[in-house]
Amino acid sequence: MTGRARARARSRGRARGQETGPPGVVGLVFIPTTSAAPPPSEGELVGRGRQRAAPGPVASEDILQISAGFHQVKLGERGGRRRDFHDVGINTRQAMEHVKASKTGTSGSTIQLRANFFRIVSRPQWVLYQYHVDFQPPMESRRLRSALLFQHDETLGSARSFDGAILFLPHRLHSKETMLYSETRHGEKVQIKITLTNELPPTSPVCLQFYNIIFRRILRILNMQQIGRNYYSPNDPLSIPQHRLTIWPGFTTTILQYETSIMLSTDVSHKVLRSETVLDFMGNLRHQCGNQRFPEACAKELIGLIVLTKYNNKTYRIDDIAWDHTPNNTFKRGADDVSFTNYYKTQYGLEITDVKQVLLVSHVKRLGPSGAAPPGPAMLIPEFCYLTGLTDKMRSDFNIMKDLAIHTRLSPEQREARLSRFVNNIQKNTEAQAELGTWGLNFDKQLLNLTGRVLPVERIVQGSRSYDYKPWAADWSKEMRGVPLISSPQLESWLIFYTRRNANEAQNLLQTLHRVSSPLGFRMQRPVMVEYEDYQESLLRALQHNVGQHTQMVVVVLPSNRKDKYDSIKKYLCVDCPTPSQCVLSRTLSKPQALMTVATKIALQMACKMGGELWSVEIPLKQLMIVGIDCYHDTVAGKRSIGALVASLNQGMTRWFSKCVLQDRGQEIMDGLKMALIGALKDFHKFNNSLPSRIIIYRDGVGDGMLQSVVNYEVPQIMESIKSIGHDYMPKLTVVVVKKRVSTRFFAHIDGKLSNPPPGTVIDTEVTRPEWYDFYIVSQAVRMGSVSPTHYNVVYDTSGLKPDHMQRLTYKLCHMYYNWQGIIRVPAPCQYAHKLAFLVGQSIHREPNVWLDDYLFYL
């Protein structure tokens, strides 16, 4: 409630694993939707919407399409990638003349770094031949298809890669179409047709995909199992029995073309599993809340969670609960009706002990075979589903997080040791080496060494004074004490709400606020103290009776962190009666030794929520508007998306315009934010009597594989919004995609040991992508673990700003977030946009009142 946000929006992606069952095993059961035609055949009742029927004949242009503009690879109906998470082939740099020759900066001092990359020192220099494989009669299991095909070693040779439909060979077969004949264990005759669809030179983007396929095979040779996009070691679990948690250690791996070479990027990953099944969880929940409230509580707790089914190591998102289904229900499998109980017994040898348990529903988003409707929702047995990840309650438990951090927050030295051991294991494994040798692949044994730059330390300007801070701490909370703010409003009409048992805390807070606000130049009159009963209706009534149109600030001392109470305050004061508000937990005020620090932070928050300006850094560019965009997916209000746009209104980047829009899922986020951008430009004009001559937009919240949507759709929408202000208005425009969730890590050699790089470290060589104008900045400092850099990708730029200036401006903006007296991971407007979208998505579920647009009311 005070200080940094205690909760983060977690995007819950749906992860999918590889088949691990024996030949013929069905991975999952689908119940056909009412809109679907006849029930799916046996071939379709499989694994998360994957087609298991025979792939039909596919034209060569469908197998591989590489367009001139974007090398979009489309690999057949089966076996191709479902989505390119690495945005390969989107070449944005070529359209920007000023960075065609060089995109590197110059300022700052050089620093020697290591990165979690391993160069590929040798790779196939031959043409790769791609074939489509068709089976008659159709074979359901991918393993069975592989077994039937690999009976023909003398024709195919030992070097081959087959994913169920597409076959890669290092040599060409005698004819374009090859017919082979195999026999199953039951004596069934099968005809296999192998058709040449493409010849891929070593430079083809498909070859990179092929290297990734080979490397995933290496991980399976090391007995690692795929969950989602990453591989984990279930045989090497880390147990935390006191919290009933298990951690599977694993790795993220990607082989891509980087600036000067193809490299393997790998980082440590952890999958947190709970020792309890969903059935255990439901039993405990029923015991806690009773039969009457159980269905509602169960839906609230379970829907949206990710579960793991250990029989096939796949993860699923719980979308619904089928209260009318039990394991005794039947479904169509081919021509037969099969009960869930018998299905799991025959396919996996699993006995269902509770035949009265209800079933879980996981919706399939992907289309079925040949673009048909999805085969229906997947039905899961709670007894076989293990909960993954942490609940909000667990995250707020200090002891759980501390015990988890021992295993998961690795220092740079520990991380490097883990990565080196991983590569050594591959080098020592004879089977893995034989597989790599077959394809002529070889990796460097050492982490990549490269050179970065540390940008100069920024000077903080506060009122009439300016000061330096300790670079390694990236924090100026001590330095700013007693220094007047740039500007702060007079606080004359305000209220403090408190309960009877928190009366002392409220009085202590008031006295300390008066003590700390004077040196900051923040003048406060005595507030009206309002006591309320400790229940939601009483608090809401007290707000309605006391908050008027002249109230400048409302402070509420809350006895507990109950979400419904906090939500009702924010809903009323952000929508119905627009007034800046500050909530603080009584527990936060109960420690006398920390009260001065807490009160200082609360005073700063109150000042900036009312339009005060706290500090600044020097921004040399004039007539500049900085915009931050982020989005949040509201799981409560009809699964809507919330887009937030925050734009600077003055030269010092100390005043901001904020706007939030709610829209239906599936709508492009810029559809709603177009009007918000026009509103920001009009507000800028009102503040400055002129429009900005330069606009720089930092777009956060772009998921993997969404870059093309930003380039092709969002950028034109932004340009259209600007044009609507006036046809003769043509400001210089820059659009930067900001990405926090990256697996790249950098380490520096400092004082003889491997450490985190200092704040301000910029990396724009070696590990960047040649087709992008991109760079990394390590802006924040961390006390434990390895620091995460932020990746910036300039996708559109007509400003002609030098790369060095772009990097320095981005770093300066990381100093301007008023909720933290230090440097943060992303430019301030991105964090403001995140906070606004999060508040609306978590608490308000409606657009805030327009009266609050010019205030940072959401901090």
Side-chain angles (χ1 to χ4, degrees), residues 431-491:
E431 192 183 343
Q433 283 305 301
E435 182 66 31
L436 289 170
T438 300
W439 295 100
L441 280 172
N442 196 10
F443 296 90
D444 205 337
K445 297 177 182 65
Q446 302 297 320
L447 286 172
L448 176 74
N449 290 304
L450 72 162
T451 304
R453 290 175 294 113
V454 182
L455 296 176
V457 177
E458 292 296 331
R459 199 162 173 76
I460 306 297
V461 179
Q462 193 172 319
S464 57
R465 291 174 56 183
S466 64
Y467 51 83
D468 292 318
Y469 58 89
K470 289 175 185 167
W472 274 96
D475 178 294
W476 50 88
S477 51
K478 285 181 184 165
E479 287 82 356
M480 77 174 295
R481 278 184 199 156
V483 181
L485 305 175
I486 294 173
S487 79
S488 55
Q490 295 263 356
L491 184 51

Side-chain angles (χ1 to χ4, degrees), residues 494 496 505-514 526-527 529:
W494 62 300
I496 293 184
E505 284 91 342
Q507 283 298 333
N508 291 340
L509 172 64
L510 177 58
Q511 289 167 15
T512 318
L513 277 174
H514 278 297
R526 188 161 180 82
M529 305 291 285

Side-chain angles (χ1 to χ4, degrees), residues 463-662:
S464 57
R465 291 174 56 183
S466 64
Y467 51 83
D468 292 318
Y469 58 89
K470 289 175 185 167
W472 274 96
D475 178 294
W476 50 88
S477 51
K478 285 181 184 165
E479 287 82 356
M480 77 174 295
R481 278 184 199 156
V483 181
L485 305 175
I486 294 173
S487 79
S488 55
Q490 295 263 356
L491 184 51
E492 291 166 351
S493 173
W494 62 300
L495 305 158
I496 293 184
F497 291 82
Y498 63 95
T499 59
R500 182 170 295 172
R501 66 178 176 152
N502 298 138
N504 285 340
E505 284 91 342
Q507 283 298 333
N508 291 340
L509 172 64
L510 177 58
Q511 289 167 15
T512 318
L513 277 174
H514 278 297
R515 204 180 312 158
V516 300
S517 60
S518 248
L520 294 169
F522 182 22
R523 307 243 171 268
M524 289 182 184
Q525 299 298 325
R526 188 161 180 82
V528 175
M529 305 291 285
V530 182
E531 187 180 308
Y532 68 94
E533 296 294 322
D534 187 13
Y535 60 94
Q536 195 174 318
E537 290 76 14
S538 168
L539 174 56
L540 199 53
R541 235 185 351 261
L543 288 169
Q544 288 164 347
H545 289 165
N546 293 281
V547 181
Q549 64 181 63
H550 298 296
T551 307
Q552 293 171 279
M553 171 62 64
V554 173
V555 175
V556 184
V557 179
L558 290 166
S560 68
N561 61 352
R562 272 188 54 183
K563 188 176 180 298
D564 55 351
K565 207 175 281 185
Y566 177 81
D567 291 356
S568 67
I569 296 166
K570 290 298 179 183
K571 217 172 270 183
Y572 182 70
L573 295 175
C574 292
V575 181
D576 304 324
C577 181
T579 312
S581 60
Q582 178 66 45
C583 293
V584 55
L585 279 173
S586 59
R587 190 178 67 228
T588 312
L589 304 173
S590 62
K591 298 167 188 162
Q593 68 275 18
L595 197 53
M596 284 287 281
T597 305
V598 169
T600 303
K601 290 192 173 185
I602 291 172
L604 291 171
Q605 275 188 295
M606 287 166 66
C608 67
K609 283 179 180 183
M610 293 165 60
E613 300 166 53
L614 308 190
W615 66 78
S616 185
V617 294
E618 189 199 351
I619 310 273
L621 295 170
K622 305 286 185 264
Q623 290 295 99
L624 166 68
M625 185 167 92
I626 300 286
V627 179
I629 294 175
D630 201 356
C631 54
Y632 173 80
H633 301 293
D634 186 351
T635 53
V636 178
K639 296 189 175 174
R640 289 184 295 183
S641 290
I642 290 123
L645 180 143
V646 175
S648 64
L649 295 173
N650 63 349
Q651 167 70 23
M653 308 290 156
T654 57
R655 294 299 305 271
W656 301 89
F657 168 89
S658 310
K659 199 76 181 165
C660 210
V661 293
L662 282 79

Side-chain angles (χ1 to χ4, degrees), residues 7 52 167 169 187 261 309 316 322 326 335 337 361 418 458 489 589 598 666 792 849 852:
R52 288 287 184 260
L167 173 70
L169 294 175
S261 59
T309 49
Y316 306 98
T326 71
D337 285 322
V361 180
R418 187 86 67 88
E458 292 296 331
L589 304 173
V598 169
Y792 298 92
N849 195 300
L852 294 169

Side-chain angles (χ1 to χ4, degrees), residues 335-443:
D336 302 325
D337 285 322
V338 181
S339 73
F340 289 93
T341 310
N342 289 338
Y343 170 77
Y344 280 95
K345 191 173 183 178
T346 55
Q347 292 294 339
Y348 297 106
L350 295 172
E351 288 276 0
I352 295 176
T353 54
D354 182 355
V355 291
K356 291 185 179 176
Q357 63 188 296
V358 296
L359 303 188
L360 308 173
V361 180
S362 184
H363 291 305
V364 180
K365 289 184 182 175
R366 267 198 333 279
L367 294 178
S370 306
M379 308 302 284
L380 304 165
I381 309 292
E383 190 178 330
F384 301 145
C385 295
Y386 286 82
L387 293 161
T388 69
L390 303 172
T391 62
D392 289 336
K393 190 178 175 185
M394 286 173 156
R395 286 177 190 279
S396 61
D397 187 317
F398 174 78
N399 290 321
I400 291 179
M401 298 311 287
K402 185 178 143 201
D403 293 340
L404 264 177
I406 292 167
H407 298 290
T408 59
R409 284 203 178 175
L410 304 178
S411 69
E413 287 186 323
Q414 290 171 318
R415 195 174 285 267
E416 192 212 27
R418 187 86 67 88
L419 293 173
S420 298
R421 192 161 66 242
F422 171 56
V423 169
N424 284 340
N425 287 345
I426 294 172
Q427 303 282 353
K428 287 176 187 171
N429 188 298
T430 50
E431 192 183 343
Q433 283 305 301
E435 182 66 31
L436 289 170
T438 300
W439 295 100
L441 280 172
N442 196 10
F443 296 90

Side-chain angles (χ1 to χ4, degrees), residues 675-838:
M675 292 311 294
L677 182 56
I678 292 166
L681 287 165
K682 287 177 179 174
D683 216 26
F684 187 96
H685 189 274
K686 191 173 76 179
F687 261 72
N688 303 279
N689 291 321
S690 64
L691 288 164
S693 60
R694 192 189 295 270
I695 301 170
I696 298 177
I697 296 176
Y698 288 94
R699 169 69 160 98
D700 204 346
V702 177
D704 296 337
M706 283 173 57
L707 188 63
Q708 191 160 342
S709 166
V710 174
V711 174
N712 289 1
Y713 186 79
E714 291 189 15
V715 172
Q717 294 282 83
I718 290 164
M719 291 162 76
E720 208 176 287
S721 300
I722 293 167
K723 206 176 281 180
S724 69
I725 296 290
H727 286 294
D728 55 343
Y729 177 51
M730 294 177 68
K732 293 171 178 175
L733 175 67
T734 305
V735 180
V736 187
V737 170
V738 180
K739 206 163 183 187
K740 300 183 292 289
R741 300 183 74 176
V742 292
S743 58
T744 305
R745 295 288 181 273
F746 298 106
F747 317 116
H749 265 293
I750 296 165
D751 297 332
K753 67 169 189 172
L754 217 55
S755 309
N756 284 314
T761 300
V762 175
I763 300 95
D764 54 13
T765 60
E766 296 282 357
V767 295
T768 50
R769 302 267 284 270
E771 71 273 27
W772 295 348
Y773 169 17
D774 63 331
F775 54 91
Y776 290 91
I777 298 182
V778 175
S779 50
Q780 80 283 24
V782 295
R783 288 195 181 95
M784 64 183 294
S786 305
V787 73
S788 296
T790 304
H791 183 248
Y792 298 92
N793 185 3
V794 184
V795 295
Y796 184 85
D797 188 16
T798 58
S799 73
L801 210 59
K802 290 179 182 174
D804 194 64
H805 294 167
M806 190 72 229
Q807 292 167 6
R808 289 200 64 178
L809 175 65
T810 301
Y811 183 52
K812 282 172 184 284
L813 291 168
C814 295
H815 294 68
M816 293 301 300
Y817 180 59
Y818 284 163
N819 216 8
W820 180 251
Q821 296 93 54
I823 314 175
I824 61 166
R825 267 190 82 177
V826 292
C830 291
Q831 190 64 14
Y832 287 140
H834 166 73
K835 283 284 283 186
L836 174 56
F838 186 73

